[in-house]
Amino acid sequence: MPHDFEIRRATTADVPGIRSLVKPYAEARILLEKEAVAYYESLQEFRVADKAAGELVGCGAVHVMWEDIAEVRTLAVSSTVRGLGVGHALLERLVEDARALGVKRVFCLTFEVEFFERHGFSVMEDQSAVDPAVLQELLRSTDEGVAEFLDLARVKQNTLGNTRMILNF
């Protein structure tokens, strides 16, 4: 199926569009809304789906947490293109990016369990996804995504009831 959008690296000019894509999901308590500065600071982690010059229809990021694991974050698709393969193409590219960075696993927090299962992710059943020595290192991180991955109590209010999922490759 040919796409009428391209997946590309995000630029600073995309931040308002990324925030617009996230806003309805944040209002529905599916994604957390972030300040613009947070998007600029992590911009190099983002890919966007660009339907036409400047019309963003999707976004997503991959954030490395440790030598062998990264997180897919902020995967959002415009309601105008849901079901047309934008989310699939974005997730595929983010997983490719994670592989290129050298990780062996990708984690996500999601309400879209079936979507991620179709892409090979499985529900994380236990807390022991990392070696105890690595756990001690990760506990030093101030990154909220790392805390969500570890299922720490201090971020329970931020996880919105999402399901923790992982893809091993």
Side-chain angles (χ1 to χ4, degrees):
M1 167 176 94
H3 298 308
D4 63 342
F5 59 88
E6 73 165 313
I7 305 296
R8 62 171 175 78
R9 290 215 169 273
T11 66
T12 56
D14 294 323
V15 170
I18 291 169
R19 293 188 79 207
S20 292
L21 285 166
V22 170
K23 189 169 184 61
Y25 292 101
E27 288 171 350
R29 296 190 41 79
I30 294 170
L31 291 176
L32 292 173
E33 194 159 18
K34 299 176 188 166
E35 298 297 327
V37 67
Y39 291 109
Y40 286 112
E41 288 175 342
S42 61
L43 192 63
Q44 67 279 3
E45 300 176 350
F46 273 84
R47 295 280 185 169
V48 293
D50 193 349
K51 188 169 180 163
E55 185 191 351
L56 297 188
V57 292
C59 66
V62 64
H63 177 79
V64 174
M65 298 189 324
W66 195 252
E67 69 179 312
D68 67 337
I69 191 159
E71 178 186 9
V72 168
R73 294 182 171 180
T74 320
L75 185 59
V77 173
S78 169
S79 62
T80 64
V81 296
R82 278 193 72 136
L84 300 180
V86 175
H88 168 79
L90 275 165
L91 181 57
E92 204 170 71
R93 179 64 60 84
L94 294 171
V95 169
E96 285 174 22
D97 290 348
R99 280 191 174 114
L101 289 166
V103 300
K104 306 286 183 234
R105 301 179 291 167
V106 179
F107 158 78
C108 72
L109 273 172
T110 187
F111 286 107
E112 301 292 338
V113 173
E114 290 176 8
F115 171 80
F116 281 93
E117 283 178 337
R118 285 194 307 270
H119 292 89
F121 283 73
S122 57
V123 174
M124 289 177 63
E125 300 294 342
D126 61 16
Q127 311 296 329
S128 60
V130 295
D131 177 270
V134 172
L135 174 62
Q136 290 308 307
E137 293 289 335
L138 289 175
L139 287 171
R140 295 183 182 123
S141 175
T142 58
D143 186 272
E144 293 298 298
V146 172
E148 291 163 352
F149 168 71
L150 297 174
D151 204 25
L152 301 180
R154 72 177 170 85
V155 294
K156 292 290 190 200
Q157 70 277 11
N158 292 338
T159 60
L160 308 173
N162 297 0
T163 299
R164 297 163 67 237
M165 299 187 77
I166 197 155
L167 170 68
N168 296 293
F169 41 83

